[in-house]
Amino acid sequence: DAGVIQSPRHEVTEMGQEVTLRCKPISGHNSLFWYRQTMMRGLELLIYFNNNVPIDDSGMPEDRFSAKMPNASFSTLKIQPSEPRDSAVYFCASSHRSSGANVLTFGAGSRLTVL
Amino acid sequence: DQQVKQNSPSLSVQEGRISILNCDYTNSMFDYFLWYKKYPAEGPTFLISISSIKDKNEDGRFTVFLNKSAKHLSLHIVPSQPGDSAVYFCAASALANNDMRFGAGTRLTVKP
């Protein structure tokens, strides 16, 4: 298994531009998470999906952020318009939710720089 | 709000000694706790976990201790090795739902 795949690995854009981050979870996993890593807040949960359905998006900072999961093998996180304070590393993670413990597998992250 | 807190941003220890990383949580609904390790330019990877029905879980050089009354857990690494140098994240979740909350991380440096 190739693990959780994120693209792009690095993105540099200018303020006001639209940014789309992509994630392919591990096949068979039914939960998907988007996190943002910053120096001040560490790993901050933005949103998570169970069986492609958004469960909790209370961590999404503003209406400029949106996330979709059109099918079990793909998710996007979109920022429109982007701002310099959105600069961070964004991680996608997936897991197989069962009645037992939940262990997340992370992708390598997408480093976003907004100038 | 930070439901999981790691108050030490960094820790430096000598090779062969014990490393102790600490974590506090505020949500009494949390019943499953994990530690993740992160190297630069990589995603966090799972290290060890503990459920609330236990107070200790050991895996080789790594031991996690849970004190439910104090809402505190710690990760012990004995003996520490230079390859253990990384950022360690504490995480917590409630098995009844599915979200997982992380702390801000502690950067461990093990000096040869």
Side-chain angles (χ1 to χ4, degrees), chain B residues 5-6 9 13 24 51 55 67 79 85 89 100 106 108 111:
Chain B
K5 299 178 182 179
Q6 293 177 257
V13 300
D24 298 292
S51 74
D55 56 17
N67 183 334
S85 297
F89 289 98
M100 189 167 296
T106 297
L108 173 66
K111 298 178 179 178

Side-chain angles (χ1 to χ4, degrees), chain A:
Chain A
D1 196 328
V4 177
I5 300 173
Q6 292 187 244
S7 64
R9 289 296 310 274
H10 303 274
E11 173 94 6
V12 180
T13 190
E14 292 188 347
M15 183 174 64
Q17 296 297 307
E18 178 179 295
V19 173
T20 299
L21 308 178
R22 298 172 177 80
C23 176
K24 177 178 168 51
I26 290 174
S27 177
H29 281 191
N30 55 4
S31 293
L32 183 140
F33 302 76
W34 283 100
Y35 287 89
R36 177 170 68 175
Q37 184 187 10
T38 61
M39 290 294 292
M40 293 302 295
R41 298 179 66 86
L43 277 171
E44 184 182 11
L45 177 63
L46 300 177
I47 185 172
Y48 75 94
F49 298 81
N50 283 346
N51 297 313
N52 313 339
V53 177
I55 302 301
D56 184 353
D57 65 354
S58 60
M60 298 286 262
E62 301 169 29
D63 291 345
R64 299 184 296 106
F65 285 69
S66 63
K68 294 183 179 180
M69 192 165 186
N71 56 63
S73 59
F74 184 66
S75 177
T76 59
L77 178 67
K78 186 174 293 187
I79 309 172
Q80 166 64 17
S82 59
E83 297 182 2
R85 59 188 166 132
D86 301 331
S87 298
V89 181
Y90 291 80
F91 287 101
C92 175
S94 69
S95 70
H96 184 270
R97 168 133 175 90
S98 63
S99 58
N102 190 29
V103 176
L104 274 59
T105 301
F106 281 81
S110 294
R111 179 175 294 276
L112 173 65
T113 302
V114 183
L115 302 175

Side-chain angles (χ1 to χ4, degrees), chain B residues 50-64:
Chain B
I50 189 168
S51 74
S52 59
I53 62 173
K54 295 185 175 181
D55 56 17
K56 176 183 174 181
N57 188 27
E58 191 172 350
D59 183 1
R61 297 185 296 114
F62 303 89
T63 303
V64 56

